[in-house]
Amino acid sequence: MKKEDQFKSRVYWNPYFGGFLLGLLIIFTFYITGRGLGASGALKSVVVTTTDVIATEHAHSNKYYSQFLDSDDSPMNNWLVFEALGMLFGAFVSGAIAGRLKLKVEHSPKITSTRRLVFALVGGALFGFGAQIARGCTSGAALSGISVLSTGGFITMLSIFGSGFLVAYLFRKNWI
Amino acid sequence: MGPLIPNGLIPIEWNFVISILIGFAFGYILEASGFSSSRKLVGVFYGYDFAVLKVFFTAAAVAVIGLYYMDYLNWLDISQLYIQPTYLWAAIAGGFIMGTGFLAGGYCPGTSLAGVAIGKIDAIAFTVGLMIGIFAFSELYEVLEPLFTASNLGNPTLADSFGISPYMLILGFSLCAIIAFYVSDKVRAKVKKVIY
Amino acid sequence: MSTDYKFKKFLTRRYQLLASVLVLLAVGLVLLPKRIKNDGVSPELFVNNVLSDERFISSDDLADRMINKDPSMILVDVRSKNEFQKFTLPGAINVPLENFLNEETLPYLDQNIYDIVLFSNDNFFANEAWLIGNRLGFNNLYVLKGGLNDWFSTIFNPTVPPETANKEAFDLYDFRKAAALYFGIGVYEKESAPDVRNASPKPKKVTPAPKKKKAAPEGGC
């Protein structure tokens, strides 16, 4: 019984099907709103708002934050933030239907879960840093960028995956 | 015609409602395709699971073909869509750092949100890390600004930059995608299986 | 074992089919004949607009609006600069026909707040200006019927209605005479009628209204 559950929870969609639906979603998004998807922008809004709440003066004097703080509207009132909320909800529903809701740390059996968490944190920091420099992440810049044949998106995508392949050897202990 | 909200065909107040729905669909598709699992995501770099490649290329190919067909049929005006600006050095440097972060953490922002939603603690750690990284960037903004704003090439599309007709690019991209799918299946058959 | 093999073969066939559909669609995009996209009004609508008469405004109406100082109206003289300086209607701005699409004057023409009345000596050039504007989708363009020639003959030299005409004709005649007085008969040089010309030395400040301009959408990650 448990094995069946375990098996069932690992049944994912056919990747081509998922990609097809995602492509349709991108077309739909562009058709209705004229912009593509995005993810890291929402987190940036969270950071900006938090800094504004905790240390308002510093936020306004900092050159980067002040770009997003000038209007009297909260930076959380942003398309990406609502989309991110929708993403959380959608992923939750999908996980619930497939029986994948479980609080756990997913790691290779060869490493400890603490090591996994540390690497996740460091990886997140690096990724967030890089996403701000490149003005986009894989979904916003790479995916939506390629969908309109944008040069910036193309370069970003090549850069991400290219460098990923280059450093994969260094991190192999964590995964395989 | 065209992108509906920028042309006023749908009142702009619907923008946020629609964004939630789009986000819902996006999160659902990501999670159902398995992208809430970090080990599945990095599989493309080690050759044991190419789901990322398949989803990515299929989505991009379907989207670009669909958008250009709609443009041809005059249902959509491609020139009105958002095409992101190209900052050459920023894209390359940022991409490098992102690639390293991807391999270390095993997620990307969109998939980490999907992971958070189903309760993966490492996804939560990744998201916290993302925010720390964004915070660090804004603190160091003064130092990094030259890199950030270097060589702004405007908003070119690939067709503009390389002078090839966009339709040939789309054809080339589709062919590359098919070849990539074929090769990935061959590679996967040869690589040692990983159970996750 | 054999069912496994059959399953796998079928799978490959199915994917081959899907892959070829994708490639076919992409090839289709390459091979389809390229259409030229028209910006602005569609041809049918344009013909409709040209054939209808609603763009014409008569001299009487124009005089009426000017006397009542209608704030929502701007007069545009499409003749050359020389002719504009020799004589023009009070408060008019000069946009010679060849400069119709110039950057500085375009905001006056391409907006939704003010009505633009185009005029020239006859209405030929003004009509041409209207055709250009209408084709580009400008909404508020009107043409002074008969142009300045008609203006002179009705306002400054109104025909006296015969004895047997009805009251309306006489009212119109009175109106025209009053208008002639208002505008100053025989205004040919700038200095001879200072009060009328300086009353509105330059046209109103036009703020290009938030028209249906194609704004670039925001975006980013």
Side-chain angles (χ1 to χ4, degrees):
Chain A
M1 184 59 186
K2 189 157 178 265
K3 197 139 181 262
E4 242 179 55
D5 264 350
Q6 239 182 14
F7 175 66
K8 187 174 142 213
S9 71
R10 255 191 252 119
V11 172
Y12 297 118
W13 281 353
N14 183 331
Y16 298 115
F17 178 60
F20 177 67
L21 285 187
L22 194 56
L24 289 184
L25 180 70
I26 295 177
I27 296 179
F28 182 73
T29 311
F30 268 115
Y31 181 63
I32 301 243
T33 63
R35 59 171 299 167
L37 304 168
S40 66
L43 292 166
K44 179 174 73 187
S45 296
V46 170
V47 172
V48 169
T49 319
T50 319
T51 322
D52 194 26
V53 164
I54 296 182
T56 316
E57 207 183 275
H58 175 73
H60 280 279
S61 62
N62 182 313
K63 227 163 140 190
Y64 191 60
Y65 291 132
S66 47
Q67 289 172 12
F68 307 106
L69 280 176
D70 42 9
S71 61
D72 43 5
D73 203 9
S74 158
M76 290 289 269
N77 198 9
N78 176 354
W79 197 90
L80 285 171
V81 172
F82 286 96
E83 192 219 2
L85 285 177
M87 275 174 75
L88 284 175
F89 195 44
F92 179 76
V93 169
S94 165
I97 292 181
R100 279 195 281 268
L101 289 181
K102 195 163 162 212
L103 219 59
K104 67 169 183 177
V105 178
E106 182 184 19
H107 60 98
S108 156
K110 297 186 186 154
I111 61 173
T112 66
S113 70
T114 318
R115 180 177 158 127
R116 170 81 190 108
L117 287 176
V118 166
F119 267 94
L121 199 70
V122 170
L126 282 173
F127 205 106
F129 199 75
Q132 292 304 298
I133 296 182
R135 289 181 180 77
C137 70
T138 50
S139 29
L143 194 57
S144 312
I146 295 272
S147 307
V148 283
L149 295 179
S150 142
T151 314
F154 190 62
I155 297 180
T156 308
M157 185 188 84
L158 285 182
S159 177
I160 295 179
F161 285 103
S163 58
F165 277 109
L166 287 178
V167 300
Y169 187 69
L170 301 173
F171 293 102
R172 69 194 181 285
K173 292 253 178 48
N174 282 343
W175 303 111
I176 312 188
Chain B
M1 115 99 154
L4 296 182
I5 290 188
N7 275 345
L9 291 165
I10 293 186
I12 200 163
E13 295 84 20
W14 282 85
N15 209 0
F16 290 148
V17 174
I18 291 181
S19 75
I20 296 186
L21 294 177
I22 290 177
F24 184 88
F26 189 33
Y28 196 98
I29 294 176
L30 279 185
E31 207 283 327
S33 305
F35 285 2
S36 50
S37 154
S38 55
R39 298 187 75 200
K40 197 170 177 65
L41 284 171
V42 295
V44 70
F45 296 108
Y46 295 105
Y48 60 83
D49 188 338
F50 281 98
V52 169
L53 190 107
K54 291 178 183 172
V55 170
F56 209 91
F57 270 127
T58 316
V62 167
V64 77
I65 290 180
L67 283 175
Y68 271 83
Y69 264 110
M70 287 178 84
D71 176 60
Y72 183 80
L73 294 170
N74 253 344
W75 292 347
L76 179 77
D77 188 1
I78 286 237
S79 53
Q80 282 188 277
L81 299 179
Y82 177 74
I83 299 180
Q84 64 209 91
T86 304
Y87 289 84
L88 190 60
W89 299 117
I92 296 179
F96 248 80
I97 303 179
M98 278 200 270
T100 319
F102 198 159
L103 260 297
Y107 280 109
C108 94
T111 56
S112 82
L113 287 180
V116 165
I118 72 169
K120 290 249 164 73
I121 303 186
D122 47 343
I124 298 179
F126 190 86
T127 315
V128 171
L130 275 177
M131 295 200 263
I132 295 179
I134 299 176
F135 182 71
F137 176 77
S138 15
E139 293 304 311
L140 295 173
Y141 184 64
E142 317 275 318
V143 176
L144 293 168
E145 196 174 348
L147 173 66
F148 190 63
T149 50
S151 82
N152 182 359
L153 301 174
N155 294 40
T157 66
L158 282 175
D160 300 333
S161 304
F162 292 114
I164 314 178
S165 144
Y167 305 114
M168 295 302 290
L169 283 173
I170 295 175
L171 182 61
F173 182 73
S174 314
L175 289 173
C176 283
I178 306 278
I179 297 177
F181 298 154
Y182 182 68
V183 169
S184 67
D185 275 338
K186 284 273 186 293
V187 170
R188 188 179 179 180
K190 298 235 170 64
V191 167
K192 186 177 76 165
K193 288 234 180 307
V194 174
I195 312 289
Y196 48 89
Chain C
M1 175 66 184
S2 65
T3 45
D4 233 7
Y5 176 63
K6 214 159 84 170
F7 182 57
K8 223 164 109 182
K9 194 161 168 224
F10 178 56
L11 221 58
T12 334
R13 178 79 54 83
R14 199 198 311 166
Y15 285 139
Q16 279 175 358
L17 191 63
L18 287 174
S20 35
V21 166
L22 192 76
V23 174
L24 265 172
L25 284 176
V27 167
L29 262 186
V30 172
L31 295 178
L32 280 172
K34 302 294 166 283
R35 293 214 313 222
I36 310 172
K37 295 223 291 248
N38 294 325
D39 200 14
V41 165
S42 77
E44 296 80 21
L45 187 58
F46 186 50
V47 168
N48 257 355
N49 286 346
V50 168
L51 293 176
S52 92
D53 264 343
E54 22 173 72
R55 66 178 174 281
F56 287 115
I57 178 174
S58 70
S59 306
D60 298 315
D61 283 338
L62 182 63
D64 193 35
R65 287 173 88 169
M66 286 169 75
I67 292 175
N68 291 329
K69 293 203 186 304
D70 186 347
S72 68
M73 187 176 69
I74 297 185
L75 297 166
V76 172
D77 187 341
V78 300
R79 301 171 302 160
S80 72
K81 197 154 171 229
N82 286 336
E83 298 182 286
F84 174 74
Q85 292 197 326
K86 276 210 310 207
F87 168 74
T88 189
L89 295 179
I93 60 173
N94 182 222
V95 182
L97 189 54
E98 58 268 15
N99 296 341
F100 196 68
L101 296 177
N102 264 6
E103 295 278 319
E104 313 102 51
T105 45
L106 209 52
Y108 287 108
L109 303 162
D110 185 13
Q111 41 74 24
N112 282 336
I113 299 187
Y114 296 103
D115 290 335
I116 306 280
V117 176
L118 304 159
F119 66 92
S120 54
N121 283 332
D122 194 345
N123 58 10
F124 188 66
F125 289 129
N127 214 16
E128 287 190 329
W130 180 88
L131 287 173
I132 301 174
N134 193 266
R135 180 68 181 80
L136 291 174
F138 301 164
N139 275 335
N140 295 336
L141 301 182
Y142 298 91
V143 175
L144 177 62
K145 197 168 178 61
L148 287 176
N149 293 340
D150 188 67
W151 173 265
F152 275 115
S153 56
T154 49
I155 303 295
F156 293 147
N157 286 329
T159 49
V160 182
E163 296 286 327
T164 51
N166 54 7
K167 184 171 188 305
E168 278 173 10
F170 274 105
D171 280 345
L172 192 59
Y173 178 67
D174 288 337
F175 166 74
R176 287 175 179 171
K177 286 229 77 109
L181 279 177
Y182 174 83
F183 288 118
I185 301 181
V187 177
Y188 279 101
E189 277 91 36
K190 269 185 153 164
E191 28 314 335
S192 64
D195 47 308
V196 174
R197 293 311 303 283
N198 292 336
S200 39
K202 53 170 162 277
K204 308 136 207 140
K205 254 316 180 198
V206 179
T207 42
K211 52 200 163 107
K212 202 172 66 158
K213 201 161 177 211
K214 306 192 171 188
E218 50 148 50
C221 182

